[in-house]
Amino acid sequence: MPAGRPTLLTPELIQNAHDYIDNDVWVKSGHVIPSVMGLIEVLNITNSTIYRWIDEGNTELKEILETIKEKQHQLLIEKGLITTKAITIKY
């Protein structure tokens, strides 16, 4: 039996990560847009943990993070285009 703590990377955690983006858990959690930081808050893990798992070869989590980035991009463009507030950009 390997030494150390048991991994937190369980099928349930992966499902919760999918739910964050696929079932709008990010909205239910009060997040304005889906984000990696929002995901790790919901999963109750650290930023370094999720990236370590990805570095160790977890392609499913990598794909979830890519989906989050794509959804962010889409929402930022859409919300920016339909905003009713005047926005001033200063350089």
Side-chain angles (χ1 to χ4, degrees):
M1 179 170 203
R5 295 188 323 205
T7 183
L8 298 173
L9 185 55
T10 62
E12 180 183 15
L13 183 132
I14 296 291
Q15 183 58 54
N16 290 342
H18 278 290
D19 289 344
Y20 178 78
I21 195 70
D22 297 335
N23 295 324
D24 293 338
V25 169
W26 63 273
V27 175
K28 298 168 190 162
S29 298
H31 303 155
V32 177
I33 60 171
S35 66
V36 175
M37 297 309 290
L39 175 64
I40 65 171
E41 175 188 313
V42 167
L43 297 179
N44 196 29
I45 59 173
T46 64
N47 198 34
S48 60
T49 298
I50 200 163
Y51 283 107
R52 179 173 42 84
W53 289 336
I54 290 169
D55 289 343
E56 290 172 354
N58 191 299
T59 56
E60 197 165 8
L61 280 175
K62 184 177 182 178
E63 290 171 8
I64 291 168
L65 266 53
E66 287 299 318
T67 302
I68 287 172
K69 291 176 187 176
E70 292 166 2
K71 187 72 170 177
Q72 281 177 343
H73 183 90
Q74 175 191 11
L75 288 169
L76 289 171
I77 289 172
E78 288 175 2
K79 289 182 181 222
L81 291 174
I82 62 170
T83 186
T84 57
K85 298 179 182 179
I87 298 173
T88 303
I89 300 175
K90 295 184 180 183
Y91 295 95

